[in-house]
Amino acid sequence: MLNGVKRGMFSNEAGMGSAPNAAATATTSHPVNQGLIQSAGVFVDTIIVCTCTAVMILLAGPSVYTPGVTQRSDAGTLTTTAAASELGQGIVPVLTVLIVVFAFSSILGNYTYAEVNMDFLGGGKAGDYAMRALVVVATFWGAIQELGVVWSVADVAMSVMAVINISAMFMLSRYAVGALRDFDRQGGSPESVFDLLGNPDVPDDVPGEVWHSEKAKGLAGSPH
């Protein structure tokens, strides 16, 4: 169960605070719409994709995976071995290219998150260059280390992220619950429009005017 939780978190990033960096840039009329899409993504990734992967490995037979016998060091190639046992060795180069593309795009995506946050924190050019150097060093180090060591370091790093993010979630929970109440009050329709001006469900101390609709701004500035 512990290993399932660790690998599941690595797969869907739920609660870690990384995916919201992308979700926050979405154009939507109501934040709950995007929140529901993010929740659906976790379900599809964990319940559907991971289950399909597990079934593929189990159907490959004992020569590929035998509980209690197969070594943990084989985990990194288990899916590829299972696919090759059913589809032939010709599938291995294809999966290798897919894994390389996935790994490279993941590095770029997560670095983009980190750079945007570094800029927000005031790191400037120096912070960006330091982040780039750290990413290059971490990528090189991870490529030459044993798989078990890399997984252990990744698990520790993800747990630190999760603790920080979940703590922030608790502090922001009143805003999230308020947005959900506003969404339900409008019937839970995808066409629901979120407006902070005079909203009884959400605290009015949200900075900026990103959720102030033009219509609401006009009403707020009218003589009445």
Side-chain angles (χ1 to χ4, degrees), residues 110-130:
N110 283 282
Y111 168 74
T112 302
Y113 296 162
E115 185 178 85
V116 170
N117 284 281
M118 177 64 72
D119 292 341
F120 178 79
L121 294 173
K125 289 292 184 182
D128 290 344
Y129 285 124

Side-chain angles (χ1 to χ4, degrees), residues 59-72:
L59 291 178
S63 61
V64 174
Y65 175 70
T66 301
V69 176
T70 303
Q71 300 296 315
R72 287 197 174 194

Side-chain angles (χ1 to χ4, degrees), residues 10-11 13 96-108:
F10 187 84
S11 172
E13 302 182 359
T96 301
V97 171
L98 291 176
I99 292 171
V100 169
V101 172
F102 173 74
F104 184 67
S105 61
S106 296
I107 293 172
L108 292 181

